[in-house]
Amino acid sequence: MGSSRPIVVINVVGLTPHLLDHAEHIKNLGHAHRAWSSPVPAVTCTSQASMLTGQPPRVHGVVGNGWFYRDTEEIRFWQQAASLVQAPMIDEQFETARMFWWFNQSSASKYSATPKPHYGCDGSKVFGILDHTGCDLEEHLGPFPFFTFWGPGAGLPCSDWIARASARVIQTKTPELTLVYLPHLDYDFQRFDDHNPDRVREVDKCLSHVIEAAQSVNAHIVIVSEYGLVKVNRAVCLNRELRKAGYLSVRSGPFGEMLMPGESRAFAVVDHQVAHIYVPKPEDREPVQKRLQDVEGVDAVVDPGELSLDHPRSGELIALSNHNAWFAYDYWLDESQAPDFAPTVDIHRKPGYDPRELFMTSKLRAAARLAQKKLGLRYKMDVIPLDNSLVRGSHGIQPSDPNDGPLIIGPQTDSIELPGDMQGFPDYLRALRGRAT
């Protein structure tokens, strides 16, 4: 039987069954746990959309962290509008607080907080968040540590801030459902090929703030993860292969070579270990598939329908990497011709996900660029290395061992069972809350 108790869901990115022994506060909950299946690609936006809707990508339309917009001929990543999700989300059925979960902007959640910088007409950017919690989070906790949320400085402070902010919302507003996003494990697990248990202990300590707040309002506590990260030692540049074969077009100019997707016969939108291959002309699809299938590090190139990705936003083909490989967006053949945004943190302009943004070429260079900024001079924060060999962890495809993949931890009874697939998550929450589907 369900109850009217609140529910607090904590999304610990990168947590797997193999890592649980290092999470004391999670173990002390005494809840059941099981590995569960993510959609493909197993990435943040797609996994969260499946959890929030109970639907596969072919229905909710979130086919990755980004995709090609055919109507404007643009590749865009990390869009936040809730309207991009083409299926009803669980926060339409519960009074919800959504704390840094994606698709937060203009969502049905009653309370929410999400990162949202301010952009000036001169190209300047001022970091900030949208706080719709009514709890004055930055006034009480200090500014959100934006530079630790992504980039070379990504680390613990942002997860700690989100945890404390979520605890404040839980205790102040007591929503029916609170969704908390803690990204800490994602960073070093991409930087290094050892899954240091200290990182697990650190995020587990963050969890304690949320757990204590949830227990103070007698809430059910559920912990989930979106994917597990695996060790990688090879980067695969699909766009370079397509360019060499004459399918991909670029434009040379004062800011380096720019990819011209609308003029290309084929190009890849890469997202960790999965890539959408857009091939407008039917006669090009079979030769493109054969070309990419033969690339070292590529496991398969398949029809999107085989992966429940048959949606208008998807590419005509889907490439999957080997377990030890990941896809880089690079399309230039000479590093001197790389676009000017390549060595910067620029998640919206790059035509693919770039984990090299977690690294820095030189702290001295970064300090010099900051000095230029403070002097009011034009500057470019070009401190990101272009060395693909730095990246040591990735995700996106199904793990060979379920214990290396995502999991769910939560209350389980004879009548309420933990789901084995993210698409079963809304039904599980409704059962906990005692609501019919």
Side-chain angles (χ1 to χ4, degrees):
M1 295 292 292
S3 73
S4 58
R5 292 169 60 185
I7 303 171
V8 173
V9 177
I10 310 169
N11 182 353
V12 185
V13 179
L15 186 65
T16 67
H18 276 148
L19 297 172
L20 278 182
D21 285 344
H22 309 294
E24 177 183 355
H25 293 97
I26 294 177
K27 289 194 296 182
N28 287 344
L29 291 173
H31 287 337
H33 77 273
R34 69 179 297 182
W36 67 345
S37 298
S38 64
V40 175
V43 296
T44 291
C45 292
T46 308
S47 293
Q48 288 192 19
S50 288
M51 279 191 265
L52 292 169
T53 66
Q55 298 293 338
R58 63 161 54 106
V59 176
H60 61 60
V62 181
V63 299
N65 290 323
W67 53 83
F68 177 56
Y69 288 71
R70 290 180 172 88
D71 52 349
T72 61
E73 298 185 354
E74 295 175 294
I75 299 166
R76 305 191 69 188
F77 267 67
W78 302 111
Q79 303 301 297
Q80 296 193 56
S83 57
L84 291 171
V85 183
Q86 298 176 338
M89 290 187 277
I90 193 69
D91 58 358
E92 297 175 24
Q93 302 173 28
F94 292 86
E95 180 188 88
T96 302
R98 203 190 296 207
M99 302 299 293
F100 286 75
W101 275 53
W102 218 250
F103 303 113
N104 215 338
Q105 196 168 320
S106 304
S107 72
S109 295
K110 184 172 182 179
Y111 310 106
S112 65
T114 197
K116 188 68 173 177
H118 305 272
Y119 296 93
C121 67
D122 62 351
S124 60
K125 178 167 64 175
V126 177
F127 293 108
I129 65 170
L130 285 176
D131 180 1
H132 296 316
T133 64
C135 293
D136 299 320
L137 297 176
E138 291 192 302
E139 179 180 330
H140 289 274
L141 300 172
F144 176 66
F146 218 104
F147 287 104
T148 68
F149 189 64
W150 185 247
L156 184 62
C158 71
S159 289
D160 182 71
W161 194 97
I162 294 170
R164 293 176 186 274
S166 300
R168 178 172 174 80
V169 172
I170 291 166
Q171 293 178 311
T172 304
K173 303 296 183 180
T174 319
E176 291 181 332
L177 174 65
T178 303
L179 303 169
V180 182
Y181 175 73
L182 300 180
H184 183 52
L185 296 184
D186 208 18
Y187 305 139
D188 277 3
F189 284 14
Q190 291 186 68
R191 291 180 177 123
F192 308 114
D193 55 14
D194 68 314
H195 289 181
N196 191 330
D198 287 345
R199 301 295 85 76
V200 183
R201 296 185 188 103
E202 288 169 351
V203 77
D204 184 64
K205 186 175 180 180
C206 294
L207 275 166
S208 67
H209 302 300
V210 187
I211 289 173
E212 289 172 8
Q215 290 172 335
S216 74
V217 299
N218 194 33
H220 291 298
I221 299 170
V222 180
I223 296 168
V224 300
S225 61
E226 305 165 356
Y227 47 77
L229 290 104
V230 297
K231 299 176 183 179
V232 295
N233 55 26
R234 175 186 297 277
V236 181
C237 299
L238 298 175
N239 280 320
R240 284 181 176 166
E241 297 295 330
L242 293 170
R243 181 173 178 180
K244 291 174 185 176
Y247 291 107
L248 183 142
S249 296
V250 301
R251 180 191 184 196
S252 297
F255 305 111
E257 292 180 340
M258 300 297 169
L259 174 62
M260 301 295 285
E263 298 180 9
S264 296
R265 290 166 54 199
F267 62 93
V269 175
V270 303
D271 202 349
H272 299 84
Q273 294 181 304
V274 179
H276 287 267
I277 314 300
Y278 292 88
V279 194
K281 295 181 179 180
E283 61 268 27
D284 286 333
R285 290 169 193 169
E286 185 176 349
V288 166
Q289 184 176 26
K290 288 181 178 179
R291 172 82 183 199
L292 295 182
Q293 184 69 73
D294 291 337
V295 174
E296 191 170 0
V298 173
D299 179 61
V301 182
V302 302
D303 183 275
E306 296 183 29
L307 303 168
S308 297
L309 281 168
D310 42 336
H311 185 278
R313 292 170 174 166
S314 289
E316 282 71 28
L317 298 168
I318 305 295
L320 306 173
S321 75
N322 291 340
H323 283 279
N324 69 329
W326 64 281
F327 293 137
Y329 78 91
D330 306 14
Y331 53 83
W332 52 91
L333 304 180
D334 184 332
E335 190 171 306
S336 67
Q337 299 303 308
D340 67 342
F341 54 71
T344 71
V345 176
D346 198 334
I347 64 172
H348 296 302
R349 195 176 305 184
K350 293 180 180 179
Y353 172 74
D354 187 5
R356 292 167 298 188
E357 292 185 350
L358 291 168
F359 301 88
M360 182 184 293
T361 54
S362 162
K363 291 184 178 180
L364 182 61
R365 186 182 186 88
R369 293 297 188 239
L370 286 173
Q372 286 180 291
K373 178 182 179 180
K374 291 179 180 179
L375 290 170
L377 303 175
R378 292 182 65 87
Y379 73 102
K380 180 175 65 173
M381 193 61 72
D382 51 350
V383 298
I384 303 304
L386 299 184
D387 181 1
N388 286 322
S389 69
L390 293 170
V391 178
R392 310 306 293 176
S394 192
H395 56 90
I397 57 177
Q398 298 293 351
S400 54
D401 180 350
N403 288 313
D404 290 326
L407 84 171
I408 179 170
I409 304 166
Q412 183 168 270
T413 68
D414 291 339
S415 59
I416 303 175
E417 186 175 353
L418 292 174
D421 189 287
M422 290 182 187
Q423 291 176 219
F425 194 51
D427 284 342
Y428 174 70
L429 295 180
R430 283 188 284 262
L432 279 184
R433 187 68 184 172
R435 293 187 178 185
T437 302

